[in-house]
Amino acid sequence: MSNPFDDIPFDDAHGAAPAPKPAGNGGSGIAARAMGARQTPDYLTGLNPEQRRAVETTEGPVLVLAGAGTGKTRVLTTRIAHILAQGLAWPSQVLAVTFTNKAAREMKERIGLLVGGAVEGMPWLGTFHSIGVKMLRRHAEMAGLKSDFTILDTDDQIRLLKQLIQAEGLDDKRWPARQFAMMIDGWKNKGFGPADIPEGDARAFANGKGRELYTAYQDRLKTLNACDFGDLLCHPIRVLKANPDVLADYQQKFKYILVDEYQDTNTAQYLWLRLLAQRRVSAPTSPLRGGRRSEQSEADPGGGDIGANTPTRLDTVSPTSPQGGGGTGAPPNICCVGDDDQSIYGWRGADVDNILRFEKDFPGATVVKLERNYRSTAHILGAASHLIGHNEGRLGKTLFTDAPDPDDPKVNVHAAWDSEEEARAVGETIERHQRDGHKLNDMAILVRASFQMREFEDRFVTLGLNYRVIGGPRFYERMEVRDAMAYFRVVCQPADDLAFERIVNTPKRGLGDASVRLVHDYARKTGVPMLAAAEEIVATEEMKPKPRAALRGVIENFRRWQEQLDNTPHAELAETILEESGYTAMWQADRSAEAPGRLENLKELIRSMEEFESMRAFLEHVSLVMDAEQNEDMDAVSIMTLHAAKGLEFDTVFLPGWEEGLFPHQRALDEGGRSGLEEERRLAYVGLTRAKRHCHIWFVSNRRIHGLWQSTIPSRFLDELPTTHVDVAEPPTSYGGYGGYGQSRFDRAGTFSTKRESPGWRRAQANQTEATRGNWGSRSGVAVERIGYGETDSGFGAGKGSVKGRVIEGELVAKSVADEPSAFAVGDRVFHLKFGNGNVTAIEGNKLTIAFDKAGEKKVLDGFVEAV
DNA sequence: TCGTCAGGAATTTTT
DNA sequence: TTCCTGACGA
């Protein structure tokens, strides 16, 4: 059978020679079509000067620092269109990489619009992984694989690792496969093979067997003719390094390289890009990884102002010498677009340093900053900019808008007693917006952690409010889809043992652990795939009659399906497989609530298969690209994590859960220290900048975490918002007014009488008389609606007659009551419900800095601690 | 083989 | 608290 993945010949029709200007050649191809627009092409006319510079500086390295909402995608797509239209390169000579399929798809579409046609001609536009696969298919044998290798997902990976850990005679509970999978992932993100991993890492797992296990894992993958996601990049890197001729081919081929979201690249991706971007003549390859990078981080302990203003270090690293090098290869035409302030994936290996270091990696680089924001109001931009200004180690950008409007609402900060009240209040605000004619589609709730979603979902269900959750398990991650896929995989790839094991007893056929183990062991012993091993075992007496018959049935099925593979339409065959295997019947018989949905998913799976040429092509697609479709017709509020929100925008954004411990997340602080905090702050920045017009931030005083009620204090990020752009809503609740957020239930019980004397308390008392009956957030509390939207016209149709004093402009109450002397003194011994005992080391208003015996130094409000 | 119970872990996520 | 995993017994 010919390799179905070889659809695009390596030496494409245009050859490797410099691209001719295709203008005159009567009209095939995108480039030619684009040339239809002759003079100042209209794709350039709508751009602002900076954008235009980013588009038109086609030669040499370019870093585009694109702040949120500054037209990043537009620049990227226009730049490609420009390159093509100018005849600088053929579509097949442009390498354009993104992180997600969604981004790749979007880019394709938009280039198509610009250039006036489909973009099939851009074979090298895709995700890092899909391009990695494409390379690897072509040179698989150089990585010890066959070109039809399968791609394992995380689930397969973990099952495989578990087998290996057990095979080593290790306790797989003490050394969880999941954890080891994460370690391997981390190594691969850095481009480490088993030989490269640091000794410490190797020892950290499985009594020092880390390296051994990693090696075993890679060996096993090779036998299975399989790759995990990390390999999709690591193998190509190794191939390119070991085969200079192959590398040279690619280097010549890719006249232009474009990278989206450069701040999210990990070390492996960086290495891969560097290889491709180097011009052959110069180029030391080896020192990229270890030494220099760590040197640099040591040279910059505080993460000081790296980048734009530190030309001193430019000369320390110059792998490519731009002008001075006396003709050793021109600088590469690589254009990286990103925003260091939106780097939020450090925890999965992304290295902000890559973007901070760009100018050193590519001396002579043009840096274009896009700061003109087309998305948000001046208040939102002001708030976001001020917040992110607390980070160090930035390249430094300040967003601004050309269209400030005095009527724009400020960013609103609200307090609630607990998460239930928070959800209720958010629900109310949403309904109010809806009544004012806003579409639910234009509103989103962005949470830090997914457990926060439930409360909102519950609330919206009772309200009958449409919502959609973005994120969650993807289509191809669902059990039934993976099961079905496993069947297809075994049919297409009889050696795919992982798939075989997955479904050999699904649906139940009486082939339990013992039977599977027998086949597995036999296969390992004789070095044949499990399916073949099973065939041999069935011919013997080794197995009891019952399971033997069952196994024989399975084998016969697979053999039959395999025969049909080449002469039956693949979607039809797929349906047959699921029918004959009893898999469909299994779900039909299932009485549970999910069963119908699962059957529906299976149908959808087969339906989508029809679009592909073969089952094999389909398998490839699903493992890399397929994602769930969202029903866009429905008007619904979106609920998603902050991470998932990157790149999106909404008219109205709700940001609940701004409390210490949740946001910034405690674990980010514990594990990431200062840089962890900065990443959290960037996440906050991402959240704020998703909003076009309305932005509501919430925090609660009490949150149930793992079933335990915890009193919480407002996020430090709230203190970092500028007074001029923020309104603090002061909810008059029965819990004690604004000060309410700072109070624990003990306050209510009157434990801390001092609290009653605080300005916050008194103000609350005053408000309470007129402002409300019932709780903040109750559905009938019309009065509540006005609160906090007072003095500035929020655009919600809020009333004019707000009560002065309800709106505290500026820094949170924690500071607004700072004039009140604290009841504590430095040196006092205190007790905190969560942190335990400690000593007061500093006092700032009602904020105490306390050195806790166990929890370390924390800032807490005095309402939370008790003298001991 | 399947159900039940106890124990442990409970950010963020793309490919 | 809740959910998932793994061990154990019918």
Side-chain angles (χ1 to χ4, degrees):
Chain A
M1 196 198 300
S2 76
N3 181 357
F5 303 102
D6 238 355
D7 48 324
I8 300 150
F10 180 71
D11 288 311
D12 52 273
H14 314 307
K21 197 166 179 136
N25 96 15
S28 69
I30 300 165
R33 243 173 295 156
M35 286 306 287
R38 275 265 50 168
Q39 320 82 342
T40 300
D42 28 314
Y43 59 78
L44 289 178
T45 52
L47 301 179
N48 68 39
E50 304 84 52
Q51 290 176 327
R52 194 154 168 173
R53 184 154 159 257
V55 167
E56 291 188 309
T57 313
T58 54
E59 306 307 300
V62 178
L63 174 63
V64 181
L65 289 171
T70 56
K72 180 196 69 165
T73 312
R74 179 156 191 206
V75 163
L76 217 40
T77 50
T78 312
R79 186 180 161 95
I80 292 176
H82 184 65
I83 286 168
L84 300 180
Q86 293 295 303
L88 299 172
W90 293 101
S92 63
Q93 293 173 322
V94 177
L95 170 67
V97 273
T98 64
F99 274 85
T100 61
N101 294 301
K102 199 176 151 214
R105 218 179 307 130
E106 207 176 295
M107 251 168 87
K108 266 187 190 162
E109 272 165 28
R110 287 177 67 167
I111 294 169
L113 287 178
L114 283 173
V115 142
V119 207
E120 294 111 24
M122 285 204 58
W124 300 100
L125 189 168
T127 61
F128 277 99
H129 294 268
S130 65
I131 290 173
V133 175
K134 188 174 281 198
M135 282 191 174
L136 196 52
R137 295 259 185 235
R138 201 156 275 153
H139 314 289
E141 68 303 330
M142 293 179 182
L145 294 164
K146 286 180 271 172
S147 73
D148 61 346
F149 60 83
T150 38
I151 299 163
L152 302 188
D153 61 25
T154 321
D155 212 74
D156 294 320
Q157 197 186 354
I158 288 169
R159 280 189 299 141
L160 183 54
L161 283 169
K162 192 168 170 186
Q163 289 177 5
L164 291 170
I165 289 169
Q166 286 169 340
E168 276 291 318
L170 294 161
D171 180 3
D172 64 306
K173 272 172 110 176
R174 171 111 170 71
W175 307 106
R178 185 173 291 279
Q179 192 194 328
F180 192 53
M182 276 161 50
M183 289 178 76
I184 289 182
D185 246 31
W187 291 326
K188 290 188 174 175
N189 283 158
K190 295 196 176 106
F192 290 160
D196 307 321
I197 62 174
E199 195 54 32
D201 280 17
R203 286 182 189 282
F205 194 82
N207 303 324
K209 287 188 176 170
R211 193 190 307 276
E212 218 173 311
L213 275 173
Y214 185 13
T215 312
Y217 172 67
Q218 289 306 122
D219 287 348
R220 189 88 184 93
L221 285 182
K222 210 166 270 184
T223 358
L224 288 168
N225 191 29
C227 271
D228 63 19
F229 284 122
D231 286 338
L232 298 181
L233 226 70
C234 286
H235 282 322
I237 289 173
R238 235 161 278 137
V239 168
L240 293 176
K241 276 191 175 171
N243 302 275
D245 50 321
V246 175
L247 176 60
D249 272 347
Y250 281 109
Q251 287 171 338
Q252 257 179 338
K253 180 184 186 61
F254 297 137
K255 300 252 180 302
Y256 293 90
I257 299 177
L258 294 95
V259 188
D260 191 18
E261 306 278 18
Y262 190 58
Q263 78 283 352
D264 288 339
T265 48
N266 61 37
T267 306
Q269 287 155 343
Y270 167 82
L271 289 170
W272 182 77
L273 283 170
R274 277 301 297 268
L275 281 169
L276 293 172
Q278 272 162 8
R279 293 300 161 93
R280 266 171 310 155
V281 221
S282 47
T285 49
S286 51
L288 289 181
R289 193 169 50 228
R292 188 168 54 73
R293 295 167 60 76
S294 48
E295 264 166 48
Q296 191 200 316
S297 42
E298 274 160 33
D300 265 312
D305 192 16
I306 301 169
N309 304 318
T310 51
T312 41
R313 271 187 239 112
L314 284 186
D315 51 352
T316 59
V317 186
S318 60
T320 48
S321 41
Q323 296 91 15
T328 58
N333 299 324
I334 182 170
C335 173
C336 295
V337 181
D339 181 356
D340 49 318
D341 291 334
Q342 291 187 69
S343 161
I344 54 174
Y345 286 109
W347 51 272
R348 69 175 195 211
D351 190 353
V352 210
D353 262 15
N354 290 344
I355 195 167
L356 299 179
R357 221 182 37 238
F358 186 85
E359 290 171 277
K360 279 178 227 117
D361 287 337
F362 300 100
T366 307
V367 178
V368 182
K369 286 187 186 181
L370 303 181
E371 298 170 296
R372 194 182 308 251
N373 178 289
Y374 295 99
R375 179 185 295 155
S376 312
T377 66
H379 285 310
I380 290 165
L381 294 180
S385 297
H386 193 266
L387 175 96
I388 199 66
H390 289 78
N391 270 6
E392 294 175 0
R394 312 170 52 216
L395 291 172
K397 294 183 290 357
T398 309
L399 297 177
F400 65 91
T401 171
D402 278 346
D405 182 339
D407 287 341
D408 283 338
K410 294 190 174 186
V411 172
N412 279 281
V413 175
H414 312 254
W417 171 249
D418 61 13
S419 51
E420 195 193 330
E421 188 182 294
E422 180 184 58
R424 221 183 310 143
V426 167
E428 288 232 358
T429 313
I430 289 171
E431 290 189 315
R432 185 153 29 94
H433 279 229
Q434 198 179 17
R435 280 196 298 275
D436 291 346
H438 291 81
K439 277 263 188 33
L440 293 177
N441 276 336
D442 295 329
M443 301 180 222
I445 299 168
L446 312 182
V447 297
R448 173 67 246 266
S450 40
F451 75 83
Q452 291 173 265
M453 291 180 179
R454 233 186 83 179
E455 205 106 37
F456 290 100
E457 291 190 61
D458 287 352
R459 186 63 197 157
F460 294 167
V461 168
T462 46
L463 288 179
L465 199 62
N466 287 338
Y467 67 89
R468 75 170 64 90
V469 173
I470 308 223
R474 274 156 231 321
F475 184 70
Y476 63 80
E477 279 169 4
R478 299 185 194 185
M479 189 212 302
E480 65 279 12
V481 174
R482 293 178 46 78
D483 285 342
M485 294 295 298
Y487 273 102
F488 306 154
R489 274 163 62 186
V490 176
V491 171
C492 292
Q493 261 252 164
D496 193 333
D497 284 359
L498 286 164
F500 179 81
E501 274 182 88
R502 184 184 177 95
I503 43 74
V504 68
N505 196 33
T506 312
K508 300 267 184 286
R509 305 187 169 93
L511 291 165
D513 260 2
S515 315
V516 176
R517 168 136 316 166
L518 187 70
V519 178
H520 184 262
D521 289 348
Y522 187 90
R524 292 296 289 278
K525 226 180 329 185
T526 53
V528 299
M530 285 176 75
L531 184 61
E535 216 158 14
E536 290 178 34
I537 289 173
V538 166
T540 69
E541 298 286 319
E542 255 182 275
M543 214 176 243
K544 292 207 181 85
K546 243 191 190 163
R548 186 154 55 140
L551 191 57
R552 181 179 293 126
V554 174
I555 295 165
E556 279 166 4
N557 274 340
F558 274 115
R559 291 301 178 215
R560 190 174 61 256
W561 296 327
Q562 277 161 10
E563 275 165 32
Q564 293 172 29
L565 187 57
D566 289 323
N567 48 38
T568 315
H570 53 280
E572 197 177 297
L573 176 60
E575 207 165 351
T576 312
I577 293 172
L578 296 185
E579 286 292 330
E580 293 182 354
S581 63
Y583 193 74
T584 317
M586 178 182 98
W587 287 116
Q588 279 162 348
D590 193 305
R591 290 268 149 258
S592 69
E594 309 96 72
R598 295 191 196 276
L599 285 164
E600 193 49 50
N601 287 338
L602 291 174
K603 266 191 214 149
E604 175 62 33
L605 184 74
I606 288 168
R607 215 176 303 139
S608 58
M609 190 183 270
E610 284 166 7
E611 296 164 26
F612 292 83
E613 236 167 65
S614 64
M615 190 176 274
R616 209 174 272 261
F618 174 74
L619 289 182
E620 163 117 348
H621 175 82
V622 174
S623 58
L624 275 180
V625 196
M626 196 148 152
D627 43 20
E629 275 172 41
Q630 290 283 341
N631 176 11
E632 314 239 315
D633 305 336
M634 179 175 77
D635 190 34
V637 185
S638 300
I639 307 176
M640 68 190 93
T641 62
L642 286 160
H643 284 91
K646 191 164 78 148
L648 305 177
E649 59 177 31
F650 298 90
D651 191 65
T652 304
V653 165
F654 297 88
L655 302 168
W658 283 41
E659 298 122 37
E660 285 293 306
L662 177 59
F663 193 35
H665 200 281
Q666 193 56 48
R667 223 164 125 177
L669 301 180
D670 292 347
E671 288 166 18
R674 182 190 185 86
S675 67
L677 172 63
E678 296 213 341
E679 183 156 313
E680 295 286 292
R681 193 177 280 118
R682 289 193 289 266
L683 203 47
Y685 173 81
V686 167
L688 287 167
T689 52
R690 296 311 95 196
K692 291 193 203 160
R693 192 168 161 78
H694 304 291
C695 184
H696 299 277
I697 302 173
W698 290 83
F699 65 93
V700 305
S701 324
N702 298 281
R703 194 174 284 280
R704 200 171 43 183
I705 298 167
H706 310 326
L708 290 172
W709 280 100
Q710 310 240 280
S711 54
T712 53
I713 56 176
S715 169
R716 68 190 77 187
F717 298 150
L718 291 169
D719 294 336
E720 296 172 359
L721 298 173
T723 60
T724 40
H725 298 297
V726 176
D727 277 345
V728 177
E730 210 181 338
T733 72
S734 53
Y735 304 115
Y738 195 79
Y741 86 86
Q743 291 186 313
S744 70
R745 276 163 288 179
F746 295 95
D747 297 330
R748 271 203 289 160
T751 316
F752 298 98
S753 54
T754 51
K755 208 68 199 181
R756 305 260 155 118
E757 309 302 326
S758 76
W761 173 260
R762 280 195 231 113
R763 197 161 44 232
Q765 296 271 294
N767 290 339
Q768 216 156 19
T769 46
E770 76 176 277
T772 185
R773 20 191 109 236
N775 287 346
W776 165 245
S778 84
R779 298 202 65 189
S780 55
V782 185
V784 176
E785 290 177 7
R786 271 206 318 265
I787 308 296
Y789 303 104
E791 290 169 341
T792 48
D793 179 4
S794 68
F796 299 161
K800 299 269 171 201
S802 78
V803 182
K804 203 180 170 209
R806 265 196 227 153
V807 175
I808 301 169
E809 295 229 330
E811 324 232 339
L812 213 62
V813 175
K815 286 198 178 156
S816 79
V817 292
D819 44 355
E820 185 82 0
S822 170
F824 296 95
V826 172
D828 279 3
R829 186 83 179 146
V830 292
F831 172 78
H832 184 278
L833 205 56
K834 190 163 146 201
F835 303 129
N837 288 313
N839 296 312
V840 178
T841 58
I843 299 174
E844 189 190 328
N846 61 342
K847 258 184 174 173
L848 309 176
T849 305
I850 299 170
F852 288 104
D853 302 346
K854 294 214 174 104
E857 193 169 88
K858 308 249 185 236
K859 279 194 178 179
V860 296
L861 293 172
D862 59 4
F864 283 109
V865 297
E866 189 179 347
V868 288

